């Protein structure tokens, strides 16, 4: 059981670690609003990844089949949402009313929701999770494995937000504004790529 638990933690870390729109969003929230904002944002993605892990471990076929049968449409709708969020990030100035001791007050429920939408918009995340579950051979102790995956996911987002927050104090406001715009447009580009790939897959 301990071996399965440890392997499940590794699965969670491996599932969250690849750089993509969620990582860009977590970095952006951390730079703009602090470590807690970045970590909470990552947890929004972790909820969706945990759902994918549950599907993989319990082999919930009908959910898996629905996602695979509708991959292109999910990607198109999700890509449009990602473009909208990215443009909003790029055009908004999150530092307008910046005060050093108001980090907790700036946490918003929209942060984890945005990350969750990013993960839901990427059906490939389910495929990746299924591959990791098969690769590491977890699933015999189902509830233990799910708990391990959750710990792995949360651990990665904590580490990423913590590291980025260490660099945050070295940037002035103008630099942070520029970085915020860069990440916003990068996220919009991710969404555009997903839509293009989805249309190509439908042909």
């Amino acid at each position: 059981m301990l071996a399965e638990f440890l392997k499940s933690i590794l699965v969670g870390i491996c599932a969250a670690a690849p750089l993509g729109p969620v990582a860009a969003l977590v970095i952006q929230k951390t730079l703009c609003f602090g470590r807690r904002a970045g970590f909470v944002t990552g947890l929004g993605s972790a909820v969706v990844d945990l759902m994918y892990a549950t599907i993989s471990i319990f082999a919930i076929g009908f959910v898996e089949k629905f996602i695979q049968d509708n991959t292109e449409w999910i990607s198109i709708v999700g890509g449009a949402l990602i473009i909208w969020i990215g443009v909003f990030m790029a055009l908004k100035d999150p530092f307008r009313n910046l005060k050093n001791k108001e980090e907790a007050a700036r946490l918003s429920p929209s942060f984890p929701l945005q990350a969750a939408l990013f993960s839901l918009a990427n059906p490939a995340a389910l495929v990746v999770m299924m591959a990791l579950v098969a690769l590491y051979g977890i699933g015999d102790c189902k509830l233990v494995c799910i708990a391990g995956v959750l710990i792995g996911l949360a651990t990665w987002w904590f580490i990423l937000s913590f590291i980025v927050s260490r660099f945050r104090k070295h940037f002035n406001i103008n630099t942070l504004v520029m970085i915020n715009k860069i990440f916003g447009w990068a996220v919009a580009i991710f969404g555009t790529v997903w839509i293009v790939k989805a249309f190509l897959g439908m042909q």
Side-chain angles (χ1 to χ4, degrees):
M1 181 180 295
L2 178 60
E4 286 244 320
F5 180 66
L6 294 176
K7 287 192 293 184
S8 299
I9 293 176
L10 189 58
V11 166
I13 293 174
C14 291
L19 293 178
V22 176
L25 186 66
V26 169
I27 293 172
Q28 184 260 350
K29 297 302 183 188
T30 304
L31 289 174
C32 293
F33 304 110
R35 176 178 53 81
R36 282 182 290 178
F39 178 58
V40 169
T41 301
L43 290 181
S45 172
V47 170
V48 177
D49 286 336
L50 187 65
M51 178 186 73
Y52 289 154
T54 303
I55 292 172
S56 302
I57 291 171
F58 282 90
I60 305 176
F62 71 94
V63 178
E64 175 188 335
K65 186 176 187 303
F66 173 81
I67 293 175
Q68 291 177 342
D69 289 347
N70 296 277
T71 295
E72 288 80 11
W73 288 111
I74 293 173
S75 296
I76 291 171
V77 174
L81 285 172
I82 290 174
I83 292 172
W84 181 82
I85 293 173
V87 172
F88 179 79
M89 287 166 54
L91 298 180
K92 183 181 179 182
D93 180 6
F95 306 101
R96 185 176 302 166
N97 299 313
L98 183 63
K99 295 179 181 178
N100 292 332
K101 296 184 179 180
E102 289 186 353
E103 180 178 313
R106 293 195 301 273
L107 294 177
S108 168
S110 68
F111 294 172
L113 179 60
Q114 289 174 10
L117 288 174
F118 279 22
S119 295
L120 284 171
N122 183 18
L126 173 61
V127 178
V128 170
M129 185 62 74
M130 291 172 61
L132 288 170
V133 168
L135 177 65
Y136 287 97
I138 67 173
D140 291 338
C141 304
K142 291 181 170 54
L143 295 180
V144 171
C145 290
I146 290 173
V149 171
L150 177 59
I151 291 173
L153 292 166
T155 298
W156 172 256
W157 295 124
F158 178 83
I159 292 173
L160 180 62
S161 58
F162 179 81
I163 293 174
V164 173
S165 69
R166 297 297 91 187
F167 293 95
R168 182 182 181 227
K169 61 184 178 182
H170 298 297
F171 298 114
N172 58 38
I173 294 299
N174 290 333
T175 302
L176 288 174
V177 169
M178 181 182 68
I179 293 174
N180 180 69
K181 291 183 181 297
I182 291 172
F183 275 112
W185 291 118
V187 167
I189 291 171
F190 274 120
T192 303
V193 170
W194 278 359
I195 290 177
V196 171
K197 288 174 64 177
F199 274 117
L200 292 176
M202 295 174 69
Q203 295 179 356

